[in-house]
Amino acid sequence: MSEINKVAVIGSGVMGAGIAAHFSNAGAQVVLLDIVPKDAEDRSMLAKGAIERMTKGRAPQLADPAYASRLSAGNLNDDLEQLRDCDWVVEVVLEDLAIKHALYSKIAPYLRDDAILRSNTSTIPLVELTEQMDEGLRKRFVIVHFFNPPRYMRLVELVTGPDTDPATTERARAFSDKRLGKTVVPCNDRPGFIANRLGGLWMNAATREALARGITVEEADTVLARPFGVPGTGVFALMDLIGVDLMGKSRLSMRNLLETGDPQQTHTEGLELFDQMAAKGFAGRKVGAGFYKRSKDASGKPVAEAVDLATLDYRTQTKGPELAKSFGMDFIDQAGDRLADYAWSVMGPTLSYAAYCVPGITANPADIDAAMELGYNWRMGPFKLIDKIGADKIVARLQAEGHDVPPLLALAADRGGIYSGKGLDRKVLLP
């Protein structure tokens, strides 16, 4: 198996820069390429600016400022020759199939016959990415999906196709594991793969139900966070980190990619809110204003604000509800309580959908738990949550409300849960 010593990363946005930095952290030489901005005096200014920012902030992308010496900047007009001696080429451009296809055609003549080409797409299936490639390139193409920030998040999702050379798969897996220090979770070639397939429904459901039920962003983030082992950012602060504008694009992407009968389709409806906020400039943390905003009053004192979901005006941020201090897995028994019903309206569909997605996105429920725990920092993945809440209780409430029950969830209710045993003897219920 040949070593991976030189890497090209195409796309110098937040994700592309983070990936380039982490390859540098792993000891690889990295060339970072991007487009040439219109009327730019420095044609490689985007990639150069990204490299300059890698050592800044509270969580710098480079583990050591000296590792910047392993990085060089270029652009897609003048520097494609640099791809000729790269072992691995990483595409991190816009989540647009036409743009990706055009890029692959442009760079293909410059790739070595043994170079791996990989995409960091978060939603688009491999079969669609490779449909215009020749057989030789399809054999060397994989999806290795990092989570943001790449240096700190342990998960990478690995997606291959029927034409992928097993040697390519093993090179990608081994490098991600041993050199990059990641936990590699294999995924079937389905839209959104594992973590974003499930996480997307969770975030969309949280937003739709908050709008429908008059739940504030602070209430939602309190109720859906620590009580379920989710980081304190909750859901709306997480979407600020991801980018409210990107949430809108991801919603439409999943809507177009998934089958009409997929349960997630329901939860992609009625979310023009994301686009409305982006149009007002409320794109999230990267611009300082999203669902949350920090500003200053007339005296210069910091003011924490949150958006009113009904009016999209900012107001002073309030503290989360006191109920959340004692709010736990018994929320399912509190029907009729405003916040408990909101929690169910989000977590019920999320947990049910996790069961629905087996074996579509993976045959192993434990892979879904691993993806959500490592990619979204959930303390317990959805199937561990099902066991904690009680599969029988979840099934009973779904049936009482007239919802379909996925076969795996019904089987878990009948057999007492998804997992049995402890430690090395632990077993997972397979469909």
Side-chain angles (χ1 to χ4, degrees):
M1 184 184 302
S2 58
E3 286 290 320
I4 295 175
N5 296 312
K6 185 175 180 181
V7 177
V9 177
I10 301 176
S12 64
V14 173
M15 201 68 189
I19 291 171
H22 198 53
F23 274 105
S24 176
N25 292 335
Q29 295 294 318
V30 184
V31 55
L32 182 59
L33 305 178
D34 211 321
I35 61 172
V36 177
K38 186 178 180 180
D39 301 325
E41 293 184 10
D42 186 338
R43 293 166 65 82
S44 300
M45 62 177 291
L46 294 180
K48 287 180 180 178
I51 293 172
E52 290 174 0
R53 292 188 292 272
M54 287 179 184
T55 58
K56 299 177 180 178
R58 290 180 294 178
Q61 296 166 321
L62 286 175
D64 187 319
Y67 295 165
S69 64
R70 299 171 181 163
L71 291 142
S72 61
N75 67 75
L76 288 169
N77 286 30
D78 308 321
D79 300 298
L80 291 181
E81 287 290 336
Q82 295 195 48
L83 300 180
R84 293 193 184 278
D85 60 348
C86 289
D87 305 300
W88 196 340
V89 177
V90 183
E91 168 267 300
V92 201
V93 301
L94 291 175
E95 199 75 343
D96 183 299
L97 189 58
I99 291 175
K100 292 180 187 292
H101 281 167
L103 175 67
Y104 300 155
S105 296
K106 184 174 185 176
I107 66 175
Y110 298 90
L111 302 182
R112 284 202 332 244
D113 290 342
D114 62 344
I116 296 175
L117 175 60
R118 58 146 279 205
S119 175
N120 193 66
T121 180
S122 58
T123 60
I124 304 174
L126 182 144
V127 66
E128 297 193 19
L129 295 175
T130 59
E131 62 186 0
Q132 297 180 7
M133 292 181 184
D134 63 35
E135 182 181 1
L137 191 52
R138 287 200 304 271
K139 288 182 178 180
R140 296 179 284 115
F141 184 88
V142 293
I143 294 171
V144 182
H145 178 221
F146 282 87
F147 284 72
N148 193 34
R151 177 186 170 191
Y152 299 96
M153 299 301 290
R154 286 177 52 199
L155 175 67
V156 296
E157 294 177 317
L158 176 61
V159 183
T160 61
D163 296 326
T164 309
D165 187 333
T168 296
T169 301
E170 179 55 23
R171 286 180 73 197
R173 187 207 62 77
F175 187 85
S176 299
D177 177 4
K178 297 175 182 177
R179 290 277 295 278
L180 299 179
K182 301 303 179 184
T183 298
V184 181
V185 175
C187 309
N188 293 342
D189 189 25
R190 299 289 296 132
F193 317 125
I194 294 179
N196 283 344
R197 177 75 171 269
L198 192 61
L201 182 141
W202 174 65
M203 292 184 287
N204 287 339
T207 306
R208 288 181 75 248
E209 294 297 333
L211 284 166
R213 297 167 182 269
I215 301 293
T216 68
V217 295
E218 298 99 319
E219 287 176 327
D221 281 349
T222 302
V223 168
L224 295 178
R226 289 189 176 90
F228 293 100
V230 172
T233 47
V235 62
F236 284 100
L238 175 61
M239 290 191 287
D240 273 355
L241 180 61
I242 294 169
V244 179
D245 54 337
L246 294 181
M247 287 298 305
K249 293 175 182 176
S250 176
R251 173 183 77 94
L252 292 177
S253 177
M254 292 301 291
R255 189 170 181 81
N256 292 332
L257 290 168
L258 292 173
E259 296 86 354
T260 303
D262 190 287
Q264 180 148 185
Q265 291 288 12
T266 299
H267 299 282
T268 63
E269 297 173 355
L271 288 176
E272 292 76 15
L273 170 76
F274 295 137
D275 301 320
Q276 293 166 357
M277 289 184 64
K280 292 172 72 73
F282 304 159
R285 189 178 297 186
K286 60 190 173 186
V287 297
F291 292 106
Y292 293 98
K293 175 183 176 182
R294 289 196 175 275
S295 57
K296 294 183 179 180
D297 62 16
S299 66
K301 183 179 178 181
V303 177
E305 297 180 289
V307 77
D308 184 306
L309 294 176
T311 66
L312 298 189
D313 295 324
Y314 284 102
R315 52 168 176 73
T316 302
Q317 187 174 329
T318 61
K319 292 184 179 181
E322 290 296 315
L323 171 64
K325 293 182 179 179
S326 58
F327 201 68
M329 299 304 164
D330 60 347
F331 77 99
I332 198 170
D333 300 318
Q334 300 175 28
D337 178 271
R338 173 174 169 269
L339 294 179
D341 284 347
Y342 172 67
W344 166 254
S345 74
V346 178
M347 297 308 297
T350 299
L351 300 179
S352 176
Y353 193 58
Y356 170 87
C357 286
V358 178
I361 58 177
T362 177
N364 189 349
D367 286 341
I368 296 180
D369 277 353
M372 293 307 293
E373 289 165 12
L374 298 174
Y376 278 74
N377 277 335
W378 287 17
R379 185 167 58 84
M380 293 180 287
F383 291 106
K384 292 177 185 175
L385 281 170
I386 287 171
D387 281 3
K388 189 80 172 178
I389 296 167
D392 55 338
K393 289 185 177 182
I394 296 171
V395 167
R397 186 153 180 182
L398 287 172
Q399 291 176 331
E401 295 176 356
H403 300 300
D404 292 336
V405 176
L408 178 59
L409 188 55
L411 188 61
D414 182 59
R415 298 191 181 179
I418 293 290
Y419 293 97
S420 62
K422 296 181 179 180
L424 295 177
D425 295 326
R426 192 178 201 194
K427 295 176 181 166
V428 61
L429 178 64
L430 298 178

